[in-house]
Amino acid sequence: MKNFRALPAVLLGLSSILVGCIGENEDVVFVEPRIEAPAADVKVGVLGVAVSGDFKLTLALGPRASGPSTVQLGAVAITDAPNQQSIVSGLSLTSTKPFPVTVQPDSEVTIDFLLDKMIPEGAVDALCLPAGIRIAATIQDSLEVGATSVASDVFKPTGCM
């Protein structure tokens, strides 16, 4: 009877080994976007208030996708921490790769972005709330109908007083 008590533990160990062999993007058949390393700086100057910063957009596609995907970038905005309200929209973006971007099955594409925007002075209070902000965007994946939304983790901009 002692040997049968160890059986569930052995089976659990084997199943975790088998699960570990499957890549983390194995089931990703549509492009999965991630916004990483967001940063923003608020500067009050003679000409008004400016927000500038950067972030990375990573687009991942798993090996089971039906083929490559062509990805278009949609709207990009700075939102509140719950990602419910846009604080700054119409950002001027510069990217390291032109859109549309092609993502091959079983690969990732990372695009670096710089952002810059003059904003109304009233927006400074919303940008500098203690709860923080997010960078949010939409993408259009040619393998999927409809837009896919993505948002960064919450972060706090520099330059807030």
Side-chain angles (χ1 to χ4, degrees), residues 26-158:
E26 186 75 20
D27 293 330
V28 180
V29 294
F30 302 116
V31 171
E32 186 175 278
R34 294 186 313 271
I35 293 179
E36 302 169 312
D41 184 41
V42 179
K43 288 189 176 159
V44 179
V46 180
L47 300 174
V49 180
V51 62
S52 60
D54 55 30
F55 63 94
K56 295 179 182 301
L57 175 65
T58 300
L59 306 168
L61 189 58
R64 293 185 184 181
S66 62
S69 175
T70 301
V71 177
Q72 291 281 5
L73 183 64
V76 180
I78 297 175
T79 67
D80 60 1
N83 197 27
Q84 295 175 338
Q85 185 174 344
S86 177
I87 298 170
V88 179
S89 58
L91 296 171
S92 297
L93 298 174
T94 305
S95 67
T96 55
K97 293 185 174 143
F99 280 84
V101 172
T102 301
V103 183
Q104 296 295 330
D106 200 21
S107 71
E108 287 187 353
V109 174
T110 299
I111 304 112
D112 293 322
F113 285 90
L114 296 175
L115 64 92
D116 191 28
K117 174 83 175 186
M118 294 299 290
I119 60 171
E121 286 193 38
V124 173
D125 292 340
L127 283 172
C128 293
L129 286 174
I133 58 174
R134 294 178 189 262
I135 295 178
T138 59
I139 63 158
Q140 180 62 54
D141 173 359
S142 66
L143 297 175
E144 186 173 28
V145 175
T148 302
S149 297
V150 60
S152 70
D153 289 337
V154 174
F155 69 100
K156 293 187 179 183
T158 59

Side-chain angles (χ1 to χ4, degrees), residues 3 7 81 89 137 151 161:
N3 292 339
L7 186 58
S89 58
M161 294 183 194

